[in-house]
Amino acid sequence: MPVLRVALDLPLHRLFDYLAEAATVADVGLRVRVPFGRGEKLGVIVAVVDDSDWPLDQLKPAGEILRDLPPLPRDFFGLCEFASTYYQAAFGEVVMQALPVGLKRLDPPTRRNGRPSGKVAAGRRPELTAEQSIAVEAIDPGAGFSACLLHGVTGSGKTEVYLRLVEKTLALGRQVLLLVPEINLTPQLEDRVRARFPDTGVVSLHSELAEAARERNWRAAFGGEANIVLGTRLSIFTPLPRLGLIVVDEEHDASFKQQDGMRYSARDIAVFRARQLNIPILLGSATPSLETWANAQGGRYGLLTLRERANPEARLPTVRVLDTGRMVLKEGVSDALVGAIKERLARGEQSLVFLNRRGYAPVLACPACGWVSRCTRCAANMVLHLADRRLRCHHCGCEHRVPKACPTCGNQDIHPFGRGTQRLEGWLQEQFPEARVLRVDRDSVKSRKQWEAVLERIHGGEADILVGTQMLAKGHDFPKLTLVGALGADAALFAADWRAPERLFAQLMQVAGRAGRAELKGEVLIQTQYPDHPLFAALVAHDYPGFAAAQLKEREQAGFPPYAFQAMLRAEAPAMADAIAFLQAAAGLPVIGEHENVFIYDPVPMKMARLANLERGQLLAESHSRPALQAFLPRWREAIEGLKAPSKLRWHIEVDPLEF
Ligand code: ADP
Ligand code: ZN
Ligand code: ZN
């Protein structure tokens, strides 16, 4: 009797066998209902075999095999297998997280029809610049695997290169997967793609889509009706029968990294997938991740460069550093910046003040007794939100009303310390009463609809001064914006996290890229107490390669990635002692002695040591060889699974961690 080997959504590194009388190998890749425990589960058939490691008479018969969807293809399983092995995630969980919710339900699926996409006016197709032509020529969607980095400043015409490559790929009758960091922030890109390819099925896949729409789009992608799939990180797992090209836009963006559940990098999986399918992959960015840059410098990736802005009128903005050590600041803002805003107002142009901290003030404090608004559940302060008079923890989300007096000593004179976007917005409005000030952050813009409305207001010239977080930094053309002022940049310069400068540079480059995108020349003013820091010199010179070379040199000397490979074991428990004791035990496992090339550090509390009432510790495993680390991890993981742990303790392994 045939045996079905089924992947189930469970954190177990194994498959489950069931009997199925009429099953054949043609059923591999179909979904199946199977009895599990006292209930039933939906799984995916990974193999149909005629024997089991278990006695056949102990196997239960499988339930119904669902045939509303064609079988998931072999390369899909290959991709899941890779992700499962590389990230130490259970194969069944990887397979199931790749499917839209509607297809994971036990209740009988209803067949949904409907072709995606409405027609949009055809987009203008500009003559390519010489550099763009070289980039487009360099990539041949018919010629097998290649990985290339497309490095070009904002406005240099990267998107145009993507569109031409999409065109080439469609001409070969193949599909394109275009990965973007946050779809919410890129509606313009979606419009551009639809406008350029009005007769082609274009679908988007991201977590903000309603369940039914997501399933419909997924089916269109898998069914091959949609030729262009525009998606966020989760779409990297979508099975695509004719995939011919993968593009990863803003490849350095941290949102390609999934930070819970299976912790994976969609960009890195994308590179694997391109190799697996023998197709090209293009990674685009103005500020590539240092890992990608090192790959390009080392010749493992091709390097394509766009040095100039595509529109010759749109020159790069002038970047100036304002030495705040020599200035009097009002509400953190220098007179020079105030003056520059004034000039823009007089000329009817827009200004953007960038401060990557939302809320009114990062903390409320009592000068009499020293009380500060700490979150009781986290090692963090509660942020003051004056708009709705709440104290809110940005880490665990808990919130309460702003107290009228100090909860400790009763002092009524408690003060906000520091500043966030709300406070800055209020102050700027006071300084410029006639100006229309618009704040753009996650508090003022919560949905895609609101975001589109905000973009319309900015484009329609209904705002003079924008105050915003990095939300505003991403991929938008604001033709009237000619001034960007950046506040609060210094914190990242000396942060304990050695990736902080890389992120700061990318952020400032990106926000600087908002200025002067059309005919109007832009200016960027960065306030800092450390004007001589090399990071700022690189920004002023628009010199990413120089910055990257200096950073990589430092990393090489310190033995940090990309010159080392890391995995982090994290444990969380109600008591830190339990978390640390568990990590200590993991650090002492005998299997470590068998892997000389892997170094295990001491367990330490995480930087955010307490989150939502759980104490968190971590333990770093490192090697100078990726294969050595990869050989070690499954054996270590199995040994850790055998450790005794308090019942409330949770742990996971994160490979290639980005945050410490
Ligand atoms: P990026 O993706 O690098 O930010 P875009 O592709 O969005 O750059 O191009 C920036 C602007 O320049 C857009 O308005 C685009 O329409 C325009 N553009 C791109 N390529 C060309 C070209 N070859 N000639 C003229 N304009 C172009
Ligand atoms: Zn007090
Ligand atoms: Zn909290």
Side-chain angles (χ1 to χ4, degrees):
M1 167 112 72
V3 173
L4 301 185
R5 205 144 273 180
V6 177
L8 295 175
D9 193 1
L10 293 167
L12 300 171
H13 291 257
R14 47 164 292 207
L15 297 169
F16 296 82
D17 289 357
Y18 294 91
L19 296 172
E21 215 162 327
T24 72
V25 282
D27 297 328
V28 170
L30 293 176
R31 280 137 55 243
V32 63
R33 305 164 72 104
V34 294
F36 193 86
R38 264 179 241 155
E40 211 180 13
K41 272 185 173 298
L42 193 72
V44 171
I45 304 170
V46 174
V48 178
V49 290
D50 22 72
D51 207 356
S52 173
D53 296 340
W54 307 86
L56 289 184
D57 56 6
Q58 287 183 17
L59 296 184
K60 291 185 189 154
E64 183 196 359
I65 296 178
L66 306 181
R67 297 175 190 280
D68 62 314
L69 202 69
L72 294 160
R74 189 197 289 259
D75 67 271
F76 168 78
F77 290 115
L79 187 68
C80 293
E81 181 73 47
F82 164 76
S84 144
T85 309
Y86 189 84
Y87 292 108
Q88 302 301 312
F91 178 73
E93 286 186 315
V94 180
V95 168
M96 295 311 279
Q97 60 90 39
L99 303 181
V101 180
L103 296 176
K104 290 189 273 200
R105 286 251 182 66
L106 275 170
D107 35 284
T110 48
R111 186 92 179 97
R112 291 189 184 92
N113 283 313
R115 259 186 78 99
S117 108
K119 287 210 171 183
V120 198
R124 192 175 62 93
R125 192 167 167 278
E127 192 84 27
L128 293 182
T129 64
E131 286 180 331
Q132 282 175 321
S133 299
I134 291 171
V136 172
E137 291 301 311
I139 294 168
D140 181 353
F145 172 76
S146 65
C148 281
L149 166 64
L150 178 62
H151 174 231
V153 294
T154 334
S156 60
K158 294 187 294 298
T159 309
E160 186 57 40
V161 171
Y162 307 156
L163 294 175
R164 294 304 174 96
L165 290 172
V166 170
E167 212 177 287
K168 279 169 80 166
T169 312
L170 296 182
L172 297 176
R174 306 189 70 168
Q175 293 170 295
V176 178
L177 177 59
L178 183 50
L179 289 181
V180 294
E182 283 169 86
I183 212 115
N184 232 352
L185 305 182
T186 49
Q188 287 177 332
L189 177 62
E190 196 176 337
D191 292 347
R192 246 171 109 179
V193 172
R194 288 187 195 281
R196 184 64 66 86
F197 304 100
D199 302 318
T200 305
V202 179
V203 296
S204 59
L205 283 174
H206 53 90
S207 52
E208 253 206 37
L209 283 178
E211 200 184 301
R214 179 139 148 217
E215 183 181 333
R216 190 168 61 235
N217 290 357
W218 191 92
R219 280 176 183 270
F222 177 37
E225 293 100 67
N227 284 318
I228 305 175
V229 179
L230 200 64
T232 52
R233 60 171 182 262
L234 61 95
S235 64
I236 187 56
F237 290 102
T238 315
L240 297 163
R242 291 177 287 107
L243 185 60
L245 171 72
I246 304 177
V247 175
V248 185
D249 188 27
E250 307 287 1
E251 67 85 30
H252 65 281
D253 198 288
S255 57
F256 286 121
K257 183 80 195 266
Q258 166 109 350
Q259 298 288 12
D260 49 28
M262 173 170 68
R263 290 157 173 85
Y264 65 89
S265 155
R267 179 202 58 211
D268 294 348
I269 293 181
V271 175
F272 171 85
R273 189 167 183 185
R275 201 187 297 271
Q276 175 200 31
L277 297 178
N278 199 27
I279 59 171
I281 179 166
L282 182 64
L283 309 173
S285 176
T287 50
S289 65
L290 290 176
E291 282 79 3
T292 298
W293 186 252
N295 278 329
Q297 294 300 312
R300 287 173 297 280
Y301 293 175
L303 176 60
L304 302 164
T305 311
L306 305 179
R307 282 173 194 80
E308 305 289 334
R309 284 192 160 179
N311 176 351
E313 306 277 288
R315 279 159 302 156
L316 289 172
T318 312
V319 180
R320 282 205 297 144
V321 177
L322 300 178
D323 180 359
T324 54
R326 298 153 179 266
M327 297 174 180
V328 185
L329 302 183
K330 295 189 201 100
E331 279 293 332
V333 182
S334 62
D335 284 346
L337 182 51
V338 170
I341 295 173
K342 219 173 259 166
E343 281 174 32
R344 285 355 186 253
L345 284 172
R347 295 207 295 261
E349 296 168 8
Q350 287 171 329
S351 307
L352 157 63
V353 185
F354 173 72
L355 175 61
N356 209 13
R357 196 188 295 136
R358 64 198 169 88
Y360 183 82
V363 68
L364 187 66
C366 169
C369 76
W371 170 85
V372 291
S373 56
R374 306 232 358 125
C375 176
T376 52
R377 302 160 33 106
C378 304
N381 291 330
M382 301 279 277
V383 176
L384 176 62
H385 287 252
L386 264 196
D388 49 0
R389 300 203 60 78
R390 312 285 287 175
L391 284 172
R392 204 167 273 142
C393 174
H394 287 184
H395 297 280
C396 73
C398 82
E399 56 174 80
H400 40 79
R401 286 188 56 81
V402 174
K404 292 209 163 49
C406 171
T408 317
C409 74
N411 173 20
Q412 300 207 340
D413 195 22
I414 47 180
H415 294 295
F417 275 83
R419 67 193 60 78
T421 47
Q422 289 181 8
R423 186 170 189 169
L424 191 59
E425 174 195 18
W427 185 79
L428 285 166
Q429 191 65 77
E430 277 170 29
Q431 299 306 299
F432 304 103
E434 316 85 82
R436 293 158 301 175
V437 180
L438 179 65
R439 173 166 57 86
V440 184
D441 57 28
R442 292 220 177 276
D443 298 313
S444 67
V445 181
K446 290 193 173 126
S447 68
R448 183 177 178 146
K449 270 221 161 64
Q450 286 175 332
W451 179 235
E452 282 170 5
V454 160
L455 288 180
E456 232 176 272
R457 280 181 68 183
I458 302 175
H459 278 280
E462 291 170 46
D464 304 309
I465 304 175
L466 310 172
V467 178
T469 56
Q470 61 173 350
M471 227 184 152
L472 263 183
K474 304 206 176 179
H476 295 279
D477 256 324
F478 300 138
K480 297 206 96 177
L481 183 78
T482 59
L483 173 69
V484 171
L487 310 185
D490 287 347
L493 288 181
F494 306 102
D497 179 353
W498 43 268
R499 280 189 217 268
E502 178 183 358
R503 281 195 293 265
L504 177 66
F505 187 86
Q507 227 170 48
L508 291 178
M509 275 287 265
Q510 216 166 31
V511 76
R514 299 307 111 214
R517 293 203 82 183
E519 313 65 46
L520 302 170
K521 171 123 175 124
E523 183 179 31
V524 179
L525 302 178
I526 300 171
Q527 291 192 179
T528 173
Q529 292 195 48
Y530 308 96
D532 299 327
H533 196 285
L535 187 147
F536 296 124
L539 271 173
V540 167
H542 300 282
D543 183 17
Y544 170 82
F547 171 75
Q551 284 286 310
L552 284 174
K553 200 162 159 210
E554 276 181 29
R555 295 221 188 149
E556 189 167 19
Q557 280 163 358
F560 288 147
Y563 304 98
F565 302 92
Q566 300 182 327
M568 192 70 90
L569 172 64
R570 296 209 179 86
E572 51 183 46
M576 183 61 88
D578 288 339
I580 297 293
F582 180 80
L583 294 172
Q584 205 87 55
L589 286 165
V591 62
I592 292 168
E594 296 163 34
H595 293 261
E596 283 169 15
N597 291 324
V598 176
F599 183 77
I600 305 283
Y601 287 77
D602 288 330
V604 287
M606 285 177 66
K607 198 170 64 185
M608 267 288 292
R610 189 174 158 81
L611 179 71
N613 276 338
L614 287 172
E615 305 271 351
R616 313 185 307 160
Q618 64 186 17
L619 174 63
L620 184 63
E622 191 178 83
S623 176
H624 289 282
S625 147
R626 195 195 292 281
L629 184 64
Q630 281 293 316
F632 166 71
L633 288 176
R635 301 195 60 211
W636 196 36
R637 193 202 71 234
E638 277 164 27
I640 297 168
E641 281 166 353
L643 287 175
K644 278 214 177 56
S647 65
K648 291 224 167 114
L649 184 138
R650 295 278 170 276
W651 62 273
H652 68 259
I653 292 175
E654 178 169 354
V655 180
D656 303 332
L658 282 185
E659 285 177 33
F660 287 82

